[in-house]
Amino acid sequence: MLQVSKIAEHKEEYIKALKKRNFDASDIFEQVLTLDEIRRSTQANLDDILASSNKMSKEIGLLFKNGEHEKANILKEKTGRLKEESKELSEKLTATVADLQNLLYTIPNIPHESVPAGMSEDDNEEVYKEGDIPVLAEGSMPHWELAKKYDIIDFELGNKITGAGFPVYKGKGARLQRALITWFLDKATEAGYTEYQLPLLVNETSGFGTGQLPDKEGQMYHVTEDDLYLIPTAEVPVTNMFRDNLMNEKDFPLLCTGYTPCFRREAGSYGAHVRGLNRLHQFDKVEIVRLETPENSYAALDTMVEHVKGLLKDLKLPYRILRLCGGDLGFTSALTFDFEVFSTAQDRWLEISSVSNFENFQANRLKLRFKNKENKKELAHTLNGSALALPRVLAGILENYQTEDGIKVPEVLVPYCGFDIID
C-alpha cells in the first residue's frame, strides 16, 4: 500500500511511473488526497472538541465544588452538545479512514525505474540465459507421459480423490519430490536462511498484509465458516510473522525460508499449456523471504537472484531470467525477475520462480517498521522468491533427463533420493 504522504509529495512522478503498468492514477490520487484532507480536518475538529469538553468537565467539577450550580449546569448542557458533535465527528472519521484505506488497497506498487513498459508477458525483457538445451532422442515424451510410463505420478487418481490439478506422487516420484524439497531447504539454510514450519491457513488480516487480498481473492481457497484462507505461497505466513512489529536497524537483515504446499484456484485455466504439472491447484514450494533496510534491499534482491541461479546450475537445467514489464508485474511488486526452465519435450519455457522486491509496499500494510540510526521510525523493505516451486522443476527434470534406459536423477539429488535412475 502506498503512503499518502508520498503520493502527495511525488504525485506527478507516481502517475508517470504507474503508466508503465497501464494504470491511470490521476483520478484515484485526487480522491485519495481529498479523503486525506477530510480525514485530517475531521481529526483536528474532533481533537478541538474533545479538548474543550475535557476542559469544561474540569471547570464543572470546580463550579459544583464552589457551589455555583447554575453555571455548572449551563456548562453541562454545553458538554452534552459537544459529546453529540464528537460522536458524529468520530463516526465521520471512521468512515473516511475506511474509505481511504479501501481506495489505497486498489492502487498497485510503484514500479522500479528499471522496469520496462509493456502490456503483457510478451514484453518481458530477457536479461540472462544459461545451460545447453539437450537434444532428445526420437520418441521422447512430455512429462505427463513419462509419469504414466514409469508410474511415478497419477493424475487420474488425484482427479478421482479431489479433482483436476491435484496429482498423486508415487514411489520414486514421491521420493524425488521429497528429495527436491529437502535439498532446497538445505541450500537455503546453508545460505543463512532460518527455516520455519508454517500454518497452511491464514486469516483475512494476513491476506491483506501481504497484498493477496483484495487483489487475488478469486485465486484463493476460502474456508468460509472460519473465514480463513488456504495459503497461495509461504510468503504470506512468513512475512506476516513480523506484522505490527517495531524493530531495530541492528535486527536486519532477517532471512527466512519455509516449505509448504500451496493452493491456488487458478480459475479458467484450461488447455494443453496447463497439462500435467504445468499448472496445479495444489503444489509444493520452498520460499525464501528477506526483511531489509531500504538502502540494502536491492543488493539483497541480487543475492536472492544468485541463490536461485545456483540451484538451477546445480540441477543442470537450461534456464533464463526475465525482468517483468509493467503490464506483467505483480500488484505488490516494485521489481520482479522470473526464472524459466526449458521443457525440452514440450519445446517451451516454464516459469519456476519469481524473485521480487516489494520495497515498503507490504510493510506499510503490515505496519512493519524499525528504528533507524537517528532513532526515527521507518518502514522496512520486504522481498521474497521461490527457491524453488517444484512442479515445473520436476517436469523439467523428467523431460530433460530422459534417456532410452530411464530418467536419470540430477547428481546433486542422488544422495537425497537413494537412487540414480527412474526405470
Side-chain angles (χ1 to χ4, degrees):
M1 185 169 64
L2 299 182
Q3 296 170 269
V4 177
S5 61
K6 297 296 184 184
I7 291 174
E9 185 180 352
H10 303 286
K11 180 180 153 188
E12 295 305 321
E13 178 187 337
Y14 281 6
I15 289 172
K16 183 179 178 182
L18 285 169
K19 285 180 179 177
K20 283 187 177 181
R21 289 181 172 273
N22 310 302
F23 185 92
D24 186 352
S26 303
D27 290 343
I28 200 168
F29 278 0
E30 289 300 329
Q31 293 175 55
V32 164
L33 296 176
T34 298
L35 282 171
D36 188 56
E37 176 58 36
I38 294 169
R39 178 195 65 79
R40 286 188 284 114
S41 63
T42 305
Q43 182 70 68
N45 290 339
L46 180 59
D47 290 343
D48 289 343
I49 287 173
L50 291 175
S52 297
S53 182
N54 288 336
K55 183 181 177 182
M56 285 184 188
S57 295
K58 291 177 183 177
E59 290 177 8
I60 289 167
L62 288 172
L63 289 169
F64 274 123
K65 188 177 180 180
N66 295 330
E68 299 180 73
H69 297 283
E70 188 176 343
K71 289 182 179 179
N73 286 326
I74 290 170
L75 284 183
K76 277 184 73 176
E77 288 182 19
K78 286 184 178 180
T79 57
R81 290 195 295 272
L82 288 177
K83 188 176 181 181
E84 286 298 317
E85 285 182 45
S86 66
K87 181 183 176 184
E88 290 175 8
L89 284 172
S90 183
E91 290 172 353
K92 180 181 178 181
L93 181 63
T94 299
T96 303
V97 168
D99 290 343
L100 178 59
Q101 191 89 339
N102 289 333
L103 204 57
L104 289 169
Y105 279 145
T106 66
I107 305 170
N109 200 358
I110 304 299
H112 186 263
E113 59 185 11
S114 67
V115 171
M119 299 295 294
S120 69
E121 61 183 23
D122 297 331
D123 301 311
N124 292 337
E125 177 187 352
E126 184 180 297
V127 295
Y128 189 82
K129 185 185 286 186
E130 185 171 348
D132 296 324
I133 296 172
V135 178
L136 300 180
E138 189 176 343
S140 296
M141 303 176 181
H143 68 269
W144 55 85
E145 292 182 12
L146 292 167
K148 187 170 186 178
K149 177 180 178 179
Y150 294 106
D151 196 26
I152 55 173
I153 307 172
D154 196 323
F155 295 101
E156 293 179 4
L157 186 56
N159 190 41
K160 172 185 175 182
I161 297 168
T162 308
F166 295 88
V168 174
Y169 299 86
K170 303 168 60 178
K172 286 186 174 181
R175 289 169 66 185
L176 179 55
Q177 181 91 338
R178 176 159 50 94
L180 280 163
I181 293 166
T182 306
W183 182 66
F184 289 153
L185 286 171
D186 284 353
K187 295 296 286 185
T189 53
E190 286 171 18
Y193 291 84
T194 299
E195 182 181 349
Y196 291 86
Q197 285 192 337
L198 302 147
L200 304 183
L201 288 159
V202 294
N203 55 34
E204 185 179 64
T205 304
S206 293
F208 274 95
T210 42
Q212 279 68 33
L213 297 175
D215 181 54
K216 292 182 172 61
E217 188 167 5
Q219 295 180 21
M220 295 174 73
Y221 286 98
H222 188 195
V223 184
T224 52
E225 187 172 344
D226 302 291
D227 197 20
L228 297 173
Y229 293 84
L230 282 165
I231 61 168
T233 166
E235 168 204 347
V236 181
V238 169
T239 314
N240 273 279
M241 291 193 297
F242 306 98
R243 189 174 74 235
D244 297 320
N245 278 18
L246 177 59
M247 309 173 79
N248 291 307
E249 189 163 349
K250 62 181 176 58
D251 297 326
F252 294 99
L254 276 165
L255 283 67
C256 312
T257 188
Y259 151 69
T260 63
C262 303
F263 305 89
R264 297 184 187 177
R265 293 182 64 234
E266 301 280 11
S269 298
Y270 306 101
H273 68 291
V274 297
R275 194 170 178 184
L277 298 171
N278 288 347
R279 186 165 297 171
L280 301 175
H281 293 305
Q282 178 182 325
F283 61 94
D284 293 318
K285 182 154 69 84
V286 172
E287 195 81 357
I288 52 175
V289 172
R290 293 178 73 119
L291 274 56
E292 297 278 352
T293 57
E295 60 266 27
N296 293 331
S297 69
Y298 277 96
L301 181 66
D302 292 340
T303 300
M304 295 171 77
V305 167
E306 290 301 316
H307 179 77
V308 177
K309 283 169 71 173
L311 297 177
L312 293 167
K313 285 179 185 177
D314 287 348
L315 290 172
K316 297 180 179 174
L317 289 171
Y319 70 96
R320 68 178 182 176
I321 304 174
L322 304 175
R323 190 198 317 265
L324 296 194
C325 72
D328 201 30
L329 194 63
F331 185 86
T332 53
S333 177
L335 176 61
T336 294
F337 292 102
D338 268 8
F339 283 73
E340 296 183 339
V341 68
F342 193 76
S343 171
T344 309
Q346 298 180 73
D347 193 30
R348 59 190 290 249
W349 294 97
L350 303 174
E351 181 199 330
I352 45 87
S353 175
S354 287
V355 183
S356 302
N357 188 347
F358 306 106
E359 297 187 356
N360 64 21
F361 191 83
Q362 287 182 331
N364 193 29
R365 289 175 174 234
L366 294 159
K367 295 182 174 61
L368 169 53
R369 298 164 298 162
F370 70 98
K371 287 186 178 180
N372 61 24
K373 290 183 178 70
E374 288 77 39
N375 209 36
K376 293 180 180 178
K377 293 176 183 177
E378 189 175 349
L379 290 170
H381 278 199
T382 61
L383 306 92
N384 85 291
S386 309
L388 287 164
L390 272 77
R392 294 171 185 174
V393 171
L394 187 57
I397 290 171
L398 296 180
E399 295 183 9
N400 291 326
Y401 276 84
Q402 64 180 299
T403 70
E404 293 179 357
D405 300 320
I407 302 166
K408 291 181 179 179
V409 173
E411 187 178 344
V412 292
L413 297 178
V414 172
Y416 290 85
C417 290
F419 56 87
D420 60 7
I421 194 166
I422 297 172
D423 55 12

